[in-house]
């Protein structure tokens, strides 16, 4: 069974646990913790028989787990996420 992620812009893509791992690594989490968080999130979605999940809900789940592991990684994720969103907004504005 595949799970679909509904992104903020409304587009859809397949849920890929490895993307969670990469994001957690960028926030400073070690590989074993990043993989554990990805597995927990995937297991929760499968357990609840979720077919679609919003990117926002997915982020909330990841951040809750990250915060339990390490406050610093949690803060790093938020800083990194804001920087990406700001850059996307600037790119969209420059294309108009």
């Amino acid at each position: 069974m595949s799970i679909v992620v509904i992104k903020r812009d409304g587009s859809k893509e397949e849920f890929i646990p490895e993307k969670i791992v990469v994001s957690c690594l960028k926030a400073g989490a070690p590989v074993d913790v990043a993989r554990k968080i990805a597995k927990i999130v995937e297991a929760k979605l499968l357990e609840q028989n979720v077919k679609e999940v919003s990117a926002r809900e997915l982020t909330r789940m990841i951040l809750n787990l990250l915060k339990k592991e390490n406050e610093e990684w949690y803060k790093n994720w938020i800083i990194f996420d804001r920087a990406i969103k700001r850059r996307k907004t600037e790119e969209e504005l420059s294309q108009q």
Side-chain angles (χ1 to χ4, degrees), residues 3 32-33 69 80:
I3 300 166
D32 59 328
V33 174
E69 291 287 341
F80 181 72

Side-chain angles (χ1 to χ4, degrees), residues 26-39:
K26 286 179 182 174
V31 171
D32 59 328
V33 174
R35 286 190 179 133
K36 180 174 91 173
I37 289 172
K39 283 182 179 159

Side-chain angles (χ1 to χ4, degrees), residues 35-92:
R35 286 190 179 133
K36 180 174 91 173
I37 289 172
K39 283 182 179 159
I40 291 169
V41 170
E42 184 177 24
K44 280 184 181 178
L45 295 173
L46 292 171
E47 187 180 286
Q48 295 168 2
N49 205 20
V50 172
K51 304 259 188 289
E52 291 186 342
V53 62
S54 70
R56 181 168 284 158
E57 177 64 17
L58 207 50
T59 301
R60 196 177 61 73
M61 292 169 75
I62 297 162
L63 283 173
N64 284 339
L65 293 166
L66 208 52
K67 192 173 190 177
K68 284 179 190 169
E69 291 287 341
N70 183 302
E71 191 80 24
E72 188 72 21
W73 305 335
Y74 168 79
K75 288 176 183 171
N76 288 345
W77 173 298
I78 291 171
I79 292 164
F80 181 72
D81 196 50
R82 282 187 186 143
I84 288 174
K85 285 182 190 141
R86 193 175 313 121
R87 194 172 68 223
K88 281 183 183 173
T89 303
E90 287 168 1
E91 286 172 7
E92 287 167 4

